[in-house]
Amino acid sequence: MKIVALSLALPILAALPQSALAWGDDGHKTIALIAQQCLTPKASDAVKSLLAADTDNLVPHDIANAATWADKFRDENNRRDHYQETQNWHFTDIEIATPDLTAACFGRKPLPARMLASDGPPQACAVDKVEQFGAELADSGTDAEERVMALKFVLHFAGDLHQPLHSPDNHDYGGNSVKVTVEGFKHTRKDELHGFWDTQFVDAIAKPPTALSKQLLAEITPAQAAEWAQGKPEDWAMEAFNLGKNDAYGSPPLSKDTPQQIDAVYVAKAETDVKLQLKRAGVRLALFLDQKLASETPDWNACLKAGSAVSSRARTRQ
Ligand SMILES: [Zn+2]
């Protein structure tokens, strides 16, 4: 990956808190662990060998940690003043008053010929980056180092596309400018709406990623998985847009103009939405990797029954 010129950077975005721009680590790990369950043997082997060949040590080389790499990479770049290289790739900010996916994706320009997806450009959205990195994964002629990076970006961005505040925007950076007080939550210095959807509402489920992924896997039916598997990344973004517009912003939308009060009814709905989106993301990530790395599709009946069996055994032991 080359260093992209910073002359294209938007200073106002560079001023945003970096930690509040993605599912937290636990959300990404949970999604990757759900996906792992439904990888075909061929795709699973390909994932393992790609991660084993990784020479970057920002995160450990298992699938759960690898799914958090893109955030660490962006933040590491920030320390080197290269935050703008990849930071836009984590979301698709579609305005709720005038929804326009093409505008949110900076015109949806195709990747310039012979440019690696990891080389840019900085003005691209999560939808298009998932497709670009997916195409590199599917192409056996892709440079070996680039394929490893493509896998780590796909593991992460497929998750980001399902965060309910990574698709809708109300001229507030996906709720990053909305200050909130949330019933039942301790408040630290981080009190932005976006951060609650990234992290606090996931943490409130009160399970580490391994346990949460098993619980969620046991709740997914093969019929649900088959239904969720229908769409493409742009459909995932529009689905998250609608969910985020209705439930994360609400009507009238939570405003950045004054501190907003969030009650327990909102929180309960948010936790339901978070679980649904983690499940959908895990199922779709599995399908995407199976297709790109093995030209196969998951056997939902087999992999979801297996997840359910693991979960019931775990319950029996408690
Ligand atoms: Zn992210």
Side-chain angles (χ1 to χ4, degrees), residues 53-178:
D54 192 3
T55 55
D56 176 316
N57 289 320
L58 268 180
V59 298
H61 298 159
D62 59 281
I63 193 169
N65 278 293
T68 72
W69 171 85
D71 280 343
K72 318 296 179 197
F73 179 72
R74 178 201 57 206
D75 296 345
E76 183 65 21
N77 276 349
N78 187 42
R79 282 188 274 283
R80 296 186 285 122
D81 281 341
H82 293 297
Y83 184 56
Q84 283 296 321
E85 279 180 24
T86 63
Q87 78 100 7
N88 287 324
W89 301 356
H90 292 250
F91 53 84
T92 307
D93 273 358
I94 303 162
E95 293 303 327
I96 59 175
T98 53
D100 184 340
L101 179 68
T102 302
C105 288
F106 306 90
R108 304 203 76 179
K109 300 182 192 78
L111 197 64
R114 291 186 295 281
M115 180 184 264
L116 297 174
S118 68
D119 280 344
Q123 286 84 2
C125 67
V127 170
D128 290 338
K129 293 316 289 187
V130 164
E131 294 282 19
Q132 291 166 11
F133 285 117
E136 289 187 337
L137 279 181
D139 181 355
S140 59
T142 301
D143 170 79
E145 194 179 343
E146 178 71 6
R147 284 188 99 218
V148 173
M149 202 176 282
L151 172 61
K152 292 189 293 183
F153 275 124
V154 164
L155 287 171
H156 185 86
F157 294 149
D160 277 347
L161 274 173
H162 288 79
Q163 206 275 34
L165 280 175
H166 276 236
S167 290
D169 181 43
N170 191 25
H171 301 289
D172 56 12
Y173 306 109
N176 269 298
S177 306
V178 178

Side-chain angles (χ1 to χ4, degrees), residues 11-29:
I12 193 162
L13 285 174
L16 278 173
Q18 293 86 49
S19 57
L21 288 167
W23 286 116
D25 284 357
D26 283 357
H28 283 290
K29 287 178 180 177

